[in-house]
Amino acid sequence: MKSRAKANPHRAEFEAIYQRHTREVWAIVYARWLNADVALDIMQEAFLRLWKQFQDGGEILNPRAWLLRVARNLAEDHAKSAFRRNGTQAPQTMNGVSARDAFPLERMERDETIGQLRKEMDRLAPADREILTLRYALDYDAGEIADILNINATAVHMRLSRARQRLGERLTGQGVVP
Amino acid sequence: MTTLPSKSQGQPADNLDCTLRELFQAEMPVPWPQLMVNDEAPIRRRSSERRRFLGSYGRFAVAAAIGVMLLGYLALAESFPQRAGRDGTLAPVGSTISKGVGRELTPRRVPLPGGKEAILWDEMIPGNVGERPRFIVNVHPVPETKPRR
């Protein structure tokens, strides 16, 4: 069925931006909250605002930077509204291990390791979590990460190496072997 | 400059790298949400704007309900009986209060056991011819007045 309205001339451009950057936006928000559902909500909100900009005829020279900035601001707003609702930071949802069936022992140990890892990641700086998320969720290399975060590739290497080392030490201190 | 560890390299992957990759990739939505947008309406999503609209509409509805209740009370206020005064009398004892044809109240003081007094209203409800008259009796004790020192 043909669309009955005149197509928005920016639609194709918007769809291309969505395909290119949606996962990056999700990753940046996920790094802030370590919550996949919150990241998805905020990612959609950021793209909704971009679409409204297109509909209003606004021109955005760097859509990726614009989206990441909007997503970061929305993530911080989410923090404030969560504080008003809950009186504290919104509870992280990843620390528990939900068992639907009887898991083998190895799977249970693996889940415990991941649970501990998430706890330790929560203690990292948000900037370090961003690098980890872009690296391990999206398999980005140092150059791509540097481009998104507006830092140089050397800094990416150093911070990633430090974050991994810190995580490894803390897990070992907890008696958890990744 | 060391390259980032990658499972595509021929070397055995670091355990922590594997665990991190497993953690992050498990968190990513599968399948990835498709773009849903048309030219008339924005992307479907949970809307906080609709909640804000309903919130203001709800406040308006509450205010309107309170206003209606107040108006109704004021309009019906004439039908509510007045409260008795401090000494329990609605009207001077011996006077008659008319509540319509055939319905008259005559408050009077009556003695109670123990030396106390009460104000009594008795109201006769007219019935059909031949029926025994019925009475409604309200009694209010007269509060004792303490002598001044």
Side-chain angles (χ1 to χ4, degrees), chain A residues 5 15 19 28-29 37 40-41 58 63 70 75 91 93 97 103 114 123 125 135 137 150 153 160 170 172 176-177:
Chain A
E15 286 176 357
Q19 295 302 327
I28 290 298
V29 181
D37 291 333
L40 194 60
D41 272 353
V70 167
T93 60
V97 175
F103 285 110
I114 290 180
R123 296 169 58 185
R135 171 74 192 112
N150 223 13
L160 181 63
R170 285 176 184 167
T172 305
V176 176
V177 179

Side-chain angles (χ1 to χ4, degrees), chain A:
Chain A
M1 185 192 300
K2 290 254 180 194
S3 173
R4 50 219 175 269
K6 191 171 134 187
N8 190 308
H10 297 290
R11 186 187 176 91
E13 180 187 356
F14 179 78
E15 286 176 357
I17 292 171
Y18 183 84
Q19 295 302 327
R20 272 201 304 272
H21 302 304
T22 177
R23 285 169 176 77
E24 294 168 355
V25 175
W26 179 91
I28 290 298
V29 181
Y30 180 83
R32 173 65 179 86
W33 278 102
L34 296 179
N35 184 312
D37 291 333
V38 169
L40 194 60
D41 272 353
I42 293 178
M43 180 271 286
Q44 291 180 328
E45 177 68 26
F47 275 93
L48 171 66
R49 295 191 181 195
L50 180 67
W51 177 244
K52 281 184 179 172
Q53 286 284 318
F54 281 171
Q55 285 188 315
D56 294 342
E59 193 178 338
I60 298 174
L61 296 176
N62 189 339
R64 178 201 242 180
W66 190 94
L67 282 165
L68 293 177
R69 188 172 63 249
V70 167
R72 283 196 176 97
N73 290 341
L74 288 171
E76 289 311 312
D77 289 346
H78 183 81
K80 292 170 196 165
S81 66
F83 182 83
R84 276 202 296 274
R85 282 198 307 272
N86 304 323
T88 182
Q89 292 294 322
Q92 301 302 329
T93 60
M94 307 181 311
N95 292 331
V97 175
S98 64
R100 276 168 269 169
D101 305 310
F103 285 110
L105 182 62
E106 296 80 14
R107 180 63 191 269
M108 290 172 68
E109 288 173 348
R110 192 80 178 145
D111 285 343
E112 185 179 347
T113 301
I114 290 180
Q116 285 293 332
L117 184 55
R118 286 168 175 161
K119 272 187 193 171
E120 295 306 328
M121 278 184 48
D122 197 29
R123 296 169 58 185
L124 292 176
D128 290 343
R129 291 206 296 262
E130 284 184 355
I131 294 180
L132 288 171
T133 309
L134 291 168
R135 171 74 192 112
Y136 292 104
L138 306 185
D139 277 332
Y140 277 17
D141 60 27
E144 290 169 319
I145 295 173
D147 194 33
I148 290 177
L149 301 183
N150 223 13
I151 56 178
N152 58 50
T154 307
V156 171
H157 281 290
M158 281 176 53
R159 284 163 65 175
L160 181 63
S161 174
R162 260 206 311 267
R164 291 178 65 251
Q165 184 181 4
R166 206 168 291 142
L167 280 175
E169 286 169 358
R170 285 176 184 167
L171 287 173
T172 305
Q174 301 274 342
V176 176
V177 179

Side-chain angles (χ1 to χ4, degrees), chain A residues 5 7-8 11 15 18 22 30 36 41 45 48 51 55 110 118 121 133 135-136 139 157 160 164 178, chain B residues 2 4-5 14-17 19 21-25 27-28 32-33 35 37-40 42 45-46:
Chain A
N8 190 308
R11 186 187 176 91
E15 286 176 357
Y18 183 84
T22 177
Y30 180 83
D41 272 353
E45 177 68 26
L48 171 66
W51 177 244
Q55 285 188 315
R110 192 80 178 145
R118 286 168 175 161
M121 278 184 48
T133 309
R135 171 74 192 112
Y136 292 104
D139 277 332
H157 281 290
L160 181 63
R164 291 178 65 251
Chain B
T2 56
L4 294 178
D14 183 73
N15 281 343
L16 181 59
D17 279 338
T19 307
R21 184 169 282 108
E22 183 181 334
L23 183 155
F24 281 108
Q25 305 245 339
E27 289 290 298
M28 294 185 71
W32 195 261
L35 178 66
V37 61
N38 59 49
D39 295 316
E40 287 102 23
R45 62 179 181 86
R46 282 183 285 175

Side-chain angles (χ1 to χ4, degrees), chain B residues 30-97:
Chain B
V30 175
W32 195 261
Q34 292 300 312
L35 178 66
M36 293 177 65
V37 61
N38 59 49
D39 295 316
E40 287 102 23
I43 300 170
R44 280 185 54 213
R45 62 179 181 86
R46 282 183 285 175
S47 169
S48 61
E49 290 168 356
R50 195 190 321 162
R51 283 197 290 274
R52 284 198 290 273
F53 171 72
L54 287 176
S56 62
Y57 180 76
R59 280 193 282 271
F60 175 75
V62 168
I66 291 173
V68 166
M69 278 175 13
L70 281 173
L71 286 173
Y73 175 76
L74 292 171
L76 295 173
E78 294 295 320
S79 302
F80 293 132
Q82 293 181 16
R83 286 193 174 180
R86 290 182 64 183
D87 63 352
T89 57
L90 180 60
V93 172
S95 65
T96 300
I97 302 164

